[in-house]
Amino acid sequence: MRVLITSSLLAALVTLAGCDSSSLGGPSLGDGGARSTAVASGAPQARYENRDYGIALDYPKERVRRVEDRDGYFNEGGWRAGVGPEAPGAALLVLRLKGSDRIRAGELHVGASRDPAALAGCTEPDAWARPKSVGQASLDGVTFATFQGGDAAMNHYRKVHAYRAAHRGVCYAIDLVVRGTNGEVYDPPREAPFSETRAFGDLQALLDGVRLIERAP
């Protein structure tokens, strides 16, 4: 069957294509996965800046909040995912998606280290990384190695999208972390506040705000 598209129908389709999906009752782009709505044009911005390590991040303060902890069942307490507090380095920043709860939380972690061993193996995938997930990405003109992996145990889970770069004598670690618990074990069962796809989409959009800046003398 052939479908005839009239000029008036085509104009209507173009108009709908320009609308925000949320105004039509549909899912946001963050739900679908291709691109997040976390960084909206004109959104009020906050800025984290650390001149000792030469890194800054501009982020939309209405969508995320800065926290001091790295909560979670699999939290090792170190400067990057996969290491404990004894590993030499600095855990610089945690941004948590608003709406995060025990069932699902989304966080962006930033850490850095000048330790020679950390620098030597900075871009090597961690043991928990999936081999086929290894790749590259450019943040503020600097090439970062990327890999993905996760953990699961006792109805808890953690999934990590990792970004690593050795630049100007510093190993930078940025981890996008989605973690939580199985909502089915609660009585009554509990639903997650957002999908994993949306969480990673919103976190990945925050990477647009990464800046590698002049370090303090």
Side-chain angles (χ1 to χ4, degrees):
M1 180 179 69
R2 299 178 61 186
V3 178
L4 178 64
I5 299 179
T6 66
S7 59
S8 59
L9 177 57
L10 180 60
L13 290 172
V14 171
T15 300
L16 286 173
C19 292
D20 182 351
S21 62
S22 61
S23 67
L24 301 175
S28 69
L29 293 178
D31 291 322
R35 190 59 174 165
S36 166
T37 57
V39 181
S41 176
Q45 298 285 300
R47 183 176 179 87
Y48 168 82
E49 187 173 292
N50 188 302
R51 288 203 169 270
D52 185 29
Y53 284 101
I55 189 167
L57 196 151
D58 299 311
Y59 59 93
K61 59 185 179 181
E62 83 281 4
R63 298 300 298 272
V64 297
R65 60 189 179 94
R66 183 178 173 182
V67 297
E68 298 301 323
D69 60 289
R70 299 189 178 207
D71 287 340
Y73 184 83
F74 298 99
N75 176 34
E76 303 97 344
W79 64 280
R80 63 174 175 83
V83 301
E86 73 286 349
L92 302 178
L93 175 69
V94 178
L95 296 179
R96 184 173 297 157
L97 296 177
K98 290 187 176 180
S100 294
D101 61 15
R102 289 180 177 271
I103 305 303
R104 181 165 295 138
E107 295 177 344
L108 181 146
H109 298 180
V110 179
S113 178
R114 295 191 185 92
D115 178 67
L119 279 165
C122 184
T123 59
E124 293 297 318
D126 286 325
W128 47 262
R130 299 194 309 272
K132 293 184 178 180
S133 72
V134 177
Q136 291 184 337
S138 179
L139 302 181
D140 196 28
V142 174
T143 299
F144 279 69
T146 64
F147 50 89
Q148 301 175 10
D151 307 278
M154 300 295 290
N155 287 306
H156 292 78
Y157 70 91
R158 178 181 67 170
K159 297 183 179 181
V160 181
H161 292 184
Y163 293 73
R164 304 283 186 268
H167 181 64
R168 297 183 302 197
V170 177
C171 177
Y172 294 103
I174 301 175
D175 293 312
L176 311 183
V177 180
V178 176
R179 58 175 177 78
T181 59
N182 178 8
E184 296 298 319
V185 303
Y186 290 85
D187 187 17
R190 295 173 56 182
E191 294 186 2
F194 38 69
S195 69
E196 288 185 14
T197 300
R198 175 178 173 179
F200 276 120
D202 285 355
L203 293 171
Q204 187 170 357
L206 297 174
L207 297 176
D208 291 340
V210 172
R211 299 290 180 266
L212 297 178
I213 61 175
E214 288 292 329
R215 286 164 47 188

Short mmCIF file of all heavy atoms in Angstrom, two decimals, residues 64-135:
data_model
loop_
_atom_site.label_atom_id
_atom_site.label_comp_id
_atom_site.label_asym_id
_atom_site.label_seq_id
_atom_site.Cartn_x
_atom_site.Cartn_y
_atom_site.Cartn_z
N VAL A 64 22.38 17.57 38.71
CA VAL A 64 23.28 16.78 39.54
C VAL A 64 23.64 17.58 40.78
O VAL A 64 23.49 18.79 40.83
CB VAL A 64 24.58 16.39 38.79
CG1 VAL A 64 24.28 15.51 37.60
CG2 VAL A 64 25.34 17.63 38.34
N ARG A 65 24.10 16.88 41.80
CA ARG A 65 24.58 17.55 43.00
C ARG A 65 25.94 16.98 43.38
O ARG A 65 26.22 15.79 43.18
CB ARG A 65 23.60 17.41 44.16
CG ARG A 65 23.31 15.99 44.60
CD ARG A 65 22.16 15.95 45.61
NE ARG A 65 21.87 14.59 46.04
CZ ARG A 65 22.37 14.01 47.11
NH1 ARG A 65 23.21 14.68 47.89
NH2 ARG A 65 22.04 12.78 47.44
N ARG A 66 26.77 17.86 43.90
CA ARG A 66 28.09 17.44 44.34
C ARG A 66 27.99 16.82 45.72
O ARG A 66 27.34 17.38 46.62
CB ARG A 66 29.04 18.64 44.36
CG ARG A 66 30.46 18.28 44.73
CD ARG A 66 31.36 19.50 44.68
NE ARG A 66 32.69 19.19 45.19
CZ ARG A 66 33.67 20.07 45.30
NH1 ARG A 66 33.46 21.34 44.94
NH2 ARG A 66 34.85 19.70 45.77
N VAL A 67 28.61 15.66 45.91
CA VAL A 67 28.59 14.97 47.20
C VAL A 67 30.03 14.64 47.59
O VAL A 67 30.94 14.63 46.75
CB VAL A 67 27.74 13.68 47.14
CG1 VAL A 67 26.28 14.00 46.85
CG2 VAL A 67 28.28 12.70 46.10
N GLU A 68 30.23 14.39 48.85
CA GLU A 68 31.58 14.14 49.36
C GLU A 68 31.91 12.65 49.48
O GLU A 68 33.06 12.28 49.66
CB GLU A 68 31.75 14.80 50.74
CG GLU A 68 31.61 16.31 50.71
CD GLU A 68 32.62 16.98 49.79
OE1 GLU A 68 33.77 16.50 49.72
OE2 GLU A 68 32.26 17.97 49.12
N ASP A 69 30.90 11.81 49.37
CA ASP A 69 31.12 10.38 49.57
C ASP A 69 31.06 9.64 48.24
O ASP A 69 30.56 10.16 47.24
CB ASP A 69 30.05 9.80 50.50
CG ASP A 69 28.65 9.99 49.92
OD1 ASP A 69 28.18 11.15 49.90
OD2 ASP A 69 28.05 9.01 49.48
N ARG A 70 31.59 8.44 48.25
CA ARG A 70 31.45 7.52 47.13
C ARG A 70 30.75 6.27 47.66
O ARG A 70 31.36 5.22 47.84
CB ARG A 70 32.81 7.17 46.51
CG ARG A 70 33.54 8.38 45.96
CD ARG A 70 34.78 7.98 45.18
NE ARG A 70 35.45 9.15 44.61
CZ ARG A 70 36.21 9.12 43.52
NH1 ARG A 70 36.40 7.98 42.88
NH2 ARG A 70 36.79 10.20 43.08
N ASP A 71 29.46 6.43 47.93
CA ASP A 71 28.69 5.35 48.53
C ASP A 71 28.60 4.15 47.61
O ASP A 71 28.84 4.24 46.41
CB ASP A 71 27.26 5.84 48.85
CG ASP A 71 27.23 6.78 50.05
OD1 ASP A 71 28.20 6.76 50.83
OD2 ASP A 71 26.27 7.53 50.17
N GLY A 72 28.20 3.03 48.18
CA GLY A 72 27.93 1.87 47.36
C GLY A 72 28.53 0.60 47.92
O GLY A 72 29.55 0.61 48.61
N TYR A 73 27.91 -0.51 47.59
CA TYR A 73 28.32 -1.82 48.07
C TYR A 73 29.73 -2.16 47.60
O TYR A 73 30.49 -2.81 48.31
CB TYR A 73 27.31 -2.84 47.53
CG TYR A 73 27.53 -4.26 48.00
CD1 TYR A 73 27.04 -4.68 49.24
CD2 TYR A 73 28.18 -5.18 47.19
CE1 TYR A 73 27.22 -5.99 49.66
CE2 TYR A 73 28.36 -6.50 47.61
CZ TYR A 73 27.88 -6.89 48.84
OH TYR A 73 28.06 -8.18 49.25
N PHE A 74 30.12 -1.70 46.40
CA PHE A 74 31.42 -2.04 45.82
C PHE A 74 32.43 -0.92 45.96
O PHE A 74 33.49 -0.96 45.32
CB PHE A 74 31.27 -2.39 44.34
CG PHE A 74 30.38 -3.58 44.09
CD1 PHE A 74 29.06 -3.41 43.72
CD2 PHE A 74 30.87 -4.87 44.24
CE1 PHE A 74 28.24 -4.51 43.50
CE2 PHE A 74 30.06 -5.97 44.01
CZ PHE A 74 28.73 -5.79 43.64
N ASN A 75 32.16 0.08 46.77
CA ASN A 75 33.07 1.21 46.90
C ASN A 75 34.37 0.79 47.56
O ASN A 75 34.39 0.35 48.70
CB ASN A 75 32.41 2.33 47.72
CG ASN A 75 33.36 3.49 47.96
OD1 ASN A 75 34.18 3.82 47.12
ND2 ASN A 75 33.24 4.11 49.12
N GLU A 76 35.49 0.95 46.83
CA GLU A 76 36.79 0.60 47.39
C GLU A 76 37.44 1.76 48.13
O GLU A 76 38.40 1.58 48.87
CB GLU A 76 37.75 0.15 46.27
CG GLU A 76 37.25 -1.02 45.44
CD GLU A 76 36.58 -0.57 44.15
OE1 GLU A 76 36.24 0.63 44.05
OE2 GLU A 76 36.38 -1.41 43.27
N GLY A 77 36.94 2.98 47.89
CA GLY A 77 37.46 4.14 48.60
C GLY A 77 38.68 4.78 47.98
O GLY A 77 39.28 5.67 48.58
N GLY A 78 39.07 4.34 46.78
CA GLY A 78 40.27 4.88 46.16
C GLY A 78 40.00 6.01 45.19
O GLY A 78 38.86 6.45 45.01
N TRP A 79 41.05 6.47 44.51
CA TRP A 79 40.94 7.62 43.62
C TRP A 79 40.32 7.27 42.27
O TRP A 79 39.91 8.15 41.52
CB TRP A 79 42.31 8.26 43.42
CG TRP A 79 43.32 7.40 42.72
CD1 TRP A 79 44.07 6.40 43.28
CD2 TRP A 79 43.69 7.46 41.35
NE1 TRP A 79 44.88 5.83 42.33
CE2 TRP A 79 44.69 6.47 41.14
CE3 TRP A 79 43.31 8.25 40.27
CZ2 TRP A 79 45.27 6.24 39.90
CZ3 TRP A 79 43.90 8.03 39.02
CH2 TRP A 79 44.87 7.03 38.85
N ARG A 80 40.23 5.98 41.97
CA ARG A 80 39.56 5.53 40.75
C ARG A 80 38.91 4.18 41.03
O ARG A 80 39.25 3.50 42.02
CB ARG A 80 40.53 5.42 39.58
CG ARG A 80 41.64 4.40 39.79
CD ARG A 80 42.49 4.25 38.53
NE ARG A 80 43.64 3.37 38.71
CZ ARG A 80 43.60 2.04 38.63
NH1 ARG A 80 42.45 1.42 38.39
NH2 ARG A 80 44.70 1.33 38.81
N ALA A 81 38.00 3.79 40.19
CA ALA A 81 37.36 2.49 40.34
C ALA A 81 38.40 1.39 40.25
O ALA A 81 39.27 1.41 39.39
CB ALA A 81 36.30 2.29 39.26
N GLY A 82 38.32 0.44 41.18
CA GLY A 82 39.22 -0.70 41.14
C GLY A 82 40.39 -0.63 42.10
O GLY A 82 41.15 -1.60 42.19
N VAL A 83 40.56 0.50 42.82
CA VAL A 83 41.66 0.59 43.78
C VAL A 83 41.13 1.05 45.13
O VAL A 83 40.10 1.72 45.23
CB VAL A 83 42.78 1.55 43.31
CG1 VAL A 83 43.35 1.11 41.98
CG2 VAL A 83 42.28 2.98 43.24
N GLY A 84 41.86 0.69 46.19
CA GLY A 84 41.48 1.05 47.55
C GLY A 84 42.12 2.36 47.99
O GLY A 84 42.88 2.99 47.25
N PRO A 85 41.84 2.78 49.22
CA PRO A 85 42.33 4.06 49.72
C PRO A 85 43.85 4.12 49.88
O PRO A 85 44.42 5.20 49.99
CB PRO A 85 41.63 4.20 51.08
CG PRO A 85 41.28 2.80 51.48
CD PRO A 85 40.99 2.08 50.21
N GLU A 86 44.51 2.95 49.89
CA GLU A 86 45.96 2.94 50.03
C GLU A 86 46.67 3.29 48.72
O GLU A 86 47.87 3.62 48.73
CB GLU A 86 46.43 1.57 50.51
CG GLU A 86 46.37 0.44 49.49
CD GLU A 86 44.96 -0.05 49.21
OE1 GLU A 86 44.04 0.32 49.97
OE2 GLU A 86 44.78 -0.83 48.26
N ALA A 87 45.97 3.26 47.60
CA ALA A 87 46.58 3.58 46.30
C ALA A 87 46.89 5.07 46.24
O ALA A 87 46.02 5.89 46.53
CB ALA A 87 45.66 3.17 45.17
N PRO A 88 48.10 5.46 45.86
CA PRO A 88 48.46 6.88 45.84
C PRO A 88 47.70 7.64 44.74
O PRO A 88 47.78 7.29 43.57
CB PRO A 88 49.96 6.88 45.57
CG PRO A 88 50.25 5.56 44.96
CD PRO A 88 49.24 4.60 45.50
N GLY A 89 46.96 8.65 45.16
CA GLY A 89 46.16 9.44 44.24
C GLY A 89 45.13 10.23 45.02
O GLY A 89 45.01 10.07 46.25
N ALA A 90 44.38 11.07 44.35
CA ALA A 90 43.40 11.93 45.01
C ALA A 90 42.03 11.73 44.39
O ALA A 90 41.87 11.84 43.16
CB ALA A 90 43.82 13.40 44.90
N ALA A 91 41.03 11.42 45.23
CA ALA A 91 39.64 11.37 44.80
C ALA A 91 39.11 12.81 44.83
O ALA A 91 38.92 13.38 45.90
CB ALA A 91 38.82 10.47 45.72
N LEU A 92 38.91 13.42 43.66
CA LEU A 92 38.67 14.85 43.58
C LEU A 92 37.19 15.24 43.63
O LEU A 92 36.84 16.23 44.28
CB LEU A 92 39.28 15.40 42.28
CG LEU A 92 40.78 15.17 42.09
CD1 LEU A 92 41.22 15.73 40.74
CD2 LEU A 92 41.57 15.82 43.22
N LEU A 93 36.34 14.51 42.94
CA LEU A 93 34.96 14.99 42.74
C LEU A 93 34.00 13.83 42.55
O LEU A 93 34.33 12.85 41.87
CB LEU A 93 34.92 15.91 41.51
CG LEU A 93 33.55 16.43 41.06
CD1 LEU A 93 33.00 17.43 42.07
CD2 LEU A 93 33.66 17.09 39.68
N VAL A 94 32.81 13.97 43.15
CA VAL A 94 31.70 13.06 42.87
C VAL A 94 30.47 13.91 42.57
O VAL A 94 30.08 14.76 43.39
CB VAL A 94 31.39 12.11 44.04
CG1 VAL A 94 30.19 11.23 43.71
CG2 VAL A 94 32.60 11.25 44.38
N LEU A 95 29.87 13.70 41.40
CA LEU A 95 28.60 14.32 41.04
C LEU A 95 27.55 13.22 40.95
O LEU A 95 27.75 12.24 40.23
CB LEU A 95 28.70 15.05 39.70
CG LEU A 95 29.65 16.24 39.63
CD1 LEU A 95 29.65 16.82 38.22
CD2 LEU A 95 29.28 17.31 40.65
N ARG A 96 26.45 13.39 41.67
CA ARG A 96 25.39 12.37 41.71
C ARG A 96 24.13 12.90 41.03
O ARG A 96 23.70 14.03 41.30
CB ARG A 96 25.09 11.97 43.16
CG ARG A 96 24.08 10.84 43.31
CD ARG A 96 24.00 10.42 44.77
NE ARG A 96 25.29 9.89 45.22
CZ ARG A 96 25.68 9.87 46.49
NH1 ARG A 96 24.89 10.35 47.45
NH2 ARG A 96 26.86 9.36 46.81
N LEU A 97 23.56 12.10 40.15
CA LEU A 97 22.32 12.49 39.50
C LEU A 97 21.22 12.69 40.53
O LEU A 97 21.04 11.86 41.43
CB LEU A 97 21.87 11.42 38.50
CG LEU A 97 22.78 11.15 37.30
CD1 LEU A 97 22.20 10.01 36.46
CD2 LEU A 97 22.96 12.40 36.45
N LYS A 98 20.48 13.78 40.41
CA LYS A 98 19.35 13.99 41.30
C LYS A 98 18.28 12.94 41.02
O LYS A 98 18.05 12.55 39.88
CB LYS A 98 18.80 15.41 41.12
CG LYS A 98 19.75 16.48 41.65
CD LYS A 98 19.13 17.86 41.62
CE LYS A 98 20.07 18.89 42.25
NZ LYS A 98 19.51 20.25 42.25
N GLY A 99 17.65 12.48 42.08
CA GLY A 99 16.69 11.38 41.97
C GLY A 99 17.30 10.03 42.27
O GLY A 99 16.57 9.04 42.41
N SER A 100 18.62 9.95 42.38
CA SER A 100 19.28 8.68 42.70
C SER A 100 18.81 8.17 44.06
O SER A 100 18.55 8.96 44.98
CB SER A 100 20.80 8.87 42.73
OG SER A 100 21.31 9.19 41.46
N ASP A 101 18.70 6.85 44.17
CA ASP A 101 18.31 6.25 45.44
C ASP A 101 19.00 4.90 45.60
O ASP A 101 19.92 4.58 44.85
CB ASP A 101 16.78 6.13 45.56
CG ASP A 101 16.16 5.24 44.47
OD1 ASP A 101 16.91 4.49 43.79
OD2 ASP A 101 14.93 5.28 44.30
N ARG A 102 18.56 4.11 46.58
CA ARG A 102 19.19 2.82 46.84
C ARG A 102 18.99 1.83 45.69
O ARG A 102 19.83 0.95 45.47
CB ARG A 102 18.63 2.20 48.13
CG ARG A 102 19.06 2.91 49.40
CD ARG A 102 18.45 2.22 50.62
NE ARG A 102 18.90 2.84 51.86
CZ ARG A 102 19.98 2.47 52.51
NH1 ARG A 102 20.72 1.48 52.04
NH2 ARG A 102 20.34 3.07 53.64
N ILE A 103 17.91 1.97 44.96
CA ILE A 103 17.63 1.03 43.88
C ILE A 103 18.52 1.32 42.67
O ILE A 103 19.03 0.40 42.03
CB ILE A 103 16.15 1.10 43.48
CG1 ILE A 103 15.26 0.86 44.71
CG2 ILE A 103 15.84 0.06 42.40
CD1 ILE A 103 15.53 -0.44 45.43
N ARG A 104 18.70 2.60 42.38
CA ARG A 104 19.63 2.95 41.30
C ARG A 104 20.17 4.35 41.52
O ARG A 104 19.41 5.27 41.84
CB ARG A 104 18.96 2.85 39.94
CG ARG A 104 19.90 3.18 38.77
CD ARG A 104 19.32 2.72 37.45
NE ARG A 104 19.22 1.26 37.42
CZ ARG A 104 18.17 0.61 36.93
NH1 ARG A 104 17.16 1.27 36.41
NH2 ARG A 104 18.15 -0.72 36.96
N ALA A 105 21.46 4.50 41.37
CA ALA A 105 22.13 5.79 41.48
C ALA A 105 23.10 5.94 40.32
O ALA A 105 23.69 4.95 39.87
CB ALA A 105 22.86 5.93 42.81
N GLY A 106 23.26 7.16 39.86
CA GLY A 106 24.22 7.46 38.81
C GLY A 106 25.21 8.50 39.31
O GLY A 106 24.80 9.52 39.86
N GLU A 107 26.51 8.23 39.13
CA GLU A 107 27.54 9.14 39.64
C GLU A 107 28.66 9.30 38.63
O GLU A 107 29.03 8.35 37.92
CB GLU A 107 28.12 8.61 40.94
CG GLU A 107 27.14 8.55 42.08
CD GLU A 107 27.72 7.95 43.35
OE1 GLU A 107 28.79 7.31 43.26
OE2 GLU A 107 27.10 8.10 44.41
N LEU A 108 29.24 10.49 38.60
CA LEU A 108 30.49 10.75 37.88
C LEU A 108 31.58 10.97 38.91
O LEU A 108 31.45 11.82 39.78
CB LEU A 108 30.35 11.98 36.98
CG LEU A 108 31.58 12.37 36.15
CD1 LEU A 108 31.18 12.96 34.81
CD2 LEU A 108 32.46 13.39 36.91
N HIS A 109 32.64 10.18 38.82
CA HIS A 109 33.77 10.27 39.74
C HIS A 109 34.99 10.81 38.98
O HIS A 109 35.28 10.33 37.87
CB HIS A 109 34.14 8.90 40.32
CG HIS A 109 33.06 8.28 41.12
ND1 HIS A 109 33.21 7.03 41.73
CD2 HIS A 109 31.81 8.68 41.45
CE1 HIS A 109 32.10 6.72 42.38
NE2 HIS A 109 31.23 7.71 42.21
N VAL A 110 35.70 11.75 39.57
CA VAL A 110 36.94 12.26 39.01
C VAL A 110 38.06 12.03 40.02
O VAL A 110 37.92 12.38 41.20
CB VAL A 110 36.84 13.76 38.68
CG1 VAL A 110 38.17 14.27 38.11
CG2 VAL A 110 35.72 14.02 37.68
N GLY A 111 39.16 11.45 39.56
CA GLY A 111 40.34 11.25 40.39
C GLY A 111 41.59 11.51 39.59
O GLY A 111 41.56 11.58 38.36
N ALA A 112 42.71 11.67 40.30
CA ALA A 112 43.97 11.94 39.62
C ALA A 112 45.13 11.43 40.47
O ALA A 112 45.03 11.34 41.69
CB ALA A 112 44.13 13.44 39.36
N SER A 113 46.24 11.11 39.78
CA SER A 113 47.42 10.62 40.49
C SER A 113 48.67 10.99 39.71
O SER A 113 48.68 10.96 38.48
CB SER A 113 47.35 9.10 40.66
OG SER A 113 48.52 8.62 41.30
N ARG A 114 49.72 11.34 40.46
CA ARG A 114 51.03 11.56 39.87
C ARG A 114 51.99 10.41 40.19
O ARG A 114 53.19 10.49 39.88
CB ARG A 114 51.64 12.88 40.39
CG ARG A 114 50.88 14.12 39.98
CD ARG A 114 51.69 15.38 40.30
NE ARG A 114 50.94 16.58 40.02
CZ ARG A 114 50.20 17.22 40.91
NH1 ARG A 114 50.11 16.76 42.15
NH2 ARG A 114 49.56 18.32 40.58
N ASP A 115 51.50 9.38 40.80
CA ASP A 115 52.33 8.24 41.16
C ASP A 115 52.94 7.61 39.90
O ASP A 115 52.23 7.39 38.91
CB ASP A 115 51.48 7.21 41.90
CG ASP A 115 52.27 5.97 42.27
OD1 ASP A 115 53.17 6.08 43.11
OD2 ASP A 115 51.99 4.90 41.67
N PRO A 116 54.25 7.34 39.89
CA PRO A 116 54.88 6.78 38.69
C PRO A 116 54.24 5.49 38.19
O PRO A 116 54.08 5.30 36.98
CB PRO A 116 56.33 6.54 39.14
CG PRO A 116 56.55 7.54 40.23
CD PRO A 116 55.24 7.65 40.94
N ALA A 117 53.86 4.61 39.12
CA ALA A 117 53.22 3.36 38.70
C ALA A 117 51.85 3.62 38.08
O ALA A 117 51.47 2.98 37.10
CB ALA A 117 53.11 2.41 39.89
N ALA A 118 51.11 4.55 38.68
CA ALA A 118 49.79 4.90 38.13
C ALA A 118 49.93 5.49 36.74
O ALA A 118 49.15 5.19 35.83
CB ALA A 118 49.08 5.87 39.06
N LEU A 119 50.94 6.33 36.54
CA LEU A 119 51.17 6.93 35.23
C LEU A 119 51.59 5.88 34.21
O LEU A 119 51.13 5.90 33.06
CB LEU A 119 52.24 8.02 35.34
CG LEU A 119 51.77 9.38 35.84
CD1 LEU A 119 52.96 10.24 36.25
CD2 LEU A 119 50.95 10.08 34.76
N ALA A 120 52.43 4.95 34.61
CA ALA A 120 52.93 3.94 33.67
C ALA A 120 51.80 3.06 33.14
O ALA A 120 51.82 2.66 31.96
CB ALA A 120 54.00 3.09 34.35
N GLY A 121 50.84 2.74 34.00
CA GLY A 121 49.73 1.88 33.58
C GLY A 121 48.42 2.61 33.45
O GLY A 121 47.36 1.97 33.47
N CYS A 122 48.48 3.92 33.29
CA CYS A 122 47.28 4.75 33.36
C CYS A 122 46.19 4.32 32.39
O CYS A 122 45.02 4.23 32.76
CB CYS A 122 47.65 6.21 33.11
SG CYS A 122 46.27 7.37 33.28
N THR A 123 46.54 4.08 31.16
CA THR A 123 45.52 3.80 30.14
C THR A 123 45.27 2.31 29.91
O THR A 123 44.52 1.94 29.01
CB THR A 123 45.93 4.46 28.81
OG1 THR A 123 47.20 3.95 28.40
CG2 THR A 123 46.02 5.97 28.96
N GLU A 124 45.91 1.46 30.74
CA GLU A 124 45.67 0.02 30.62
C GLU A 124 44.31 -0.33 31.21
O GLU A 124 43.97 0.11 32.31
CB GLU A 124 46.75 -0.76 31.34
CG GLU A 124 48.13 -0.64 30.71
CD GLU A 124 48.17 -1.20 29.30
OE1 GLU A 124 47.57 -2.27 29.07
OE2 GLU A 124 48.78 -0.56 28.42
N PRO A 125 43.49 -1.14 30.52
CA PRO A 125 42.20 -1.54 31.08
C PRO A 125 42.38 -2.30 32.39
O PRO A 125 43.31 -3.09 32.54
CB PRO A 125 41.61 -2.44 29.99
CG PRO A 125 42.35 -2.08 28.75
CD PRO A 125 43.72 -1.69 29.17
N ASP A 126 41.50 -2.07 33.33
CA ASP A 126 41.54 -2.80 34.60
C ASP A 126 41.12 -4.25 34.39
O ASP A 126 40.52 -4.61 33.36
CB ASP A 126 40.62 -2.13 35.62
CG ASP A 126 41.20 -0.83 36.16
OD1 ASP A 126 42.43 -0.75 36.31
OD2 ASP A 126 40.43 0.11 36.41
N ALA A 127 41.42 -5.07 35.38
CA ALA A 127 41.11 -6.50 35.28
C ALA A 127 39.61 -6.76 35.13
O ALA A 127 39.20 -7.76 34.54
CB ALA A 127 41.65 -7.23 36.51
N TRP A 128 38.78 -5.84 35.65
CA TRP A 128 37.34 -6.05 35.59
C TRP A 128 36.73 -5.59 34.26
O TRP A 128 35.52 -5.75 34.03
CB TRP A 128 36.64 -5.33 36.74
CG TRP A 128 37.07 -3.90 36.96
CD1 TRP A 128 37.98 -3.45 37.88
CD2 TRP A 128 36.61 -2.74 36.25
NE1 TRP A 128 38.11 -2.08 37.78
CE2 TRP A 128 37.29 -1.63 36.80
CE3 TRP A 128 35.69 -2.54 35.23
CZ2 TRP A 128 37.07 -0.32 36.35
CZ3 TRP A 128 35.49 -1.24 34.77
CH2 TRP A 128 36.17 -0.16 35.33
N ALA A 129 37.54 -5.02 33.36
CA ALA A 129 37.02 -4.50 32.10
C ALA A 129 36.68 -5.63 31.13
O ALA A 129 37.38 -6.64 31.08
CB ALA A 129 38.03 -3.55 31.46
N ARG A 130 35.64 -5.46 30.36
CA ARG A 130 35.32 -6.39 29.29
C ARG A 130 36.25 -6.13 28.11
O ARG A 130 36.35 -4.99 27.63
CB ARG A 130 33.86 -6.23 28.84
CG ARG A 130 32.84 -6.50 29.93
CD ARG A 130 31.43 -6.65 29.33
NE ARG A 130 31.09 -5.54 28.46
CZ ARG A 130 30.52 -4.41 28.87
NH1 ARG A 130 30.26 -4.24 30.16
NH2 ARG A 130 30.23 -3.45 28.01
N PRO A 131 36.95 -7.13 27.60
CA PRO A 131 37.94 -6.91 26.54
C PRO A 131 37.39 -6.19 25.32
O PRO A 131 38.05 -5.33 24.74
CB PRO A 131 38.40 -8.33 26.20
CG PRO A 131 38.16 -9.12 27.45
CD PRO A 131 36.91 -8.55 28.05
N LYS A 132 36.17 -6.52 24.91
CA LYS A 132 35.61 -5.92 23.70
C LYS A 132 35.09 -4.51 23.92
O LYS A 132 34.60 -3.87 22.98
CB LYS A 132 34.50 -6.81 23.14
CG LYS A 132 35.00 -8.15 22.62
CD LYS A 132 33.89 -8.95 21.98
CE LYS A 132 34.41 -10.28 21.42
NZ LYS A 132 33.33 -11.07 20.78
N SER A 133 35.19 -4.00 25.16
CA SER A 133 34.69 -2.66 25.45
C SER A 133 35.76 -1.59 25.32
O SER A 133 35.48 -0.40 25.47
CB SER A 133 34.12 -2.62 26.87
OG SER A 133 35.15 -2.67 27.84
N VAL A 134 36.99 -1.98 25.05
CA VAL A 134 38.11 -1.03 25.04
C VAL A 134 38.04 -0.13 23.81
O VAL A 134 37.78 -0.59 22.69
CB VAL A 134 39.46 -1.79 25.07
CG1 VAL A 134 40.63 -0.82 24.97
CG2 VAL A 134 39.56 -2.63 26.34
N GLY A 135 38.24 1.18 24.03
CA GLY A 135 38.20 2.13 22.92
C GLY A 135 38.90 3.42 23.29
O GLY A 135 39.74 3.46 24.19
#
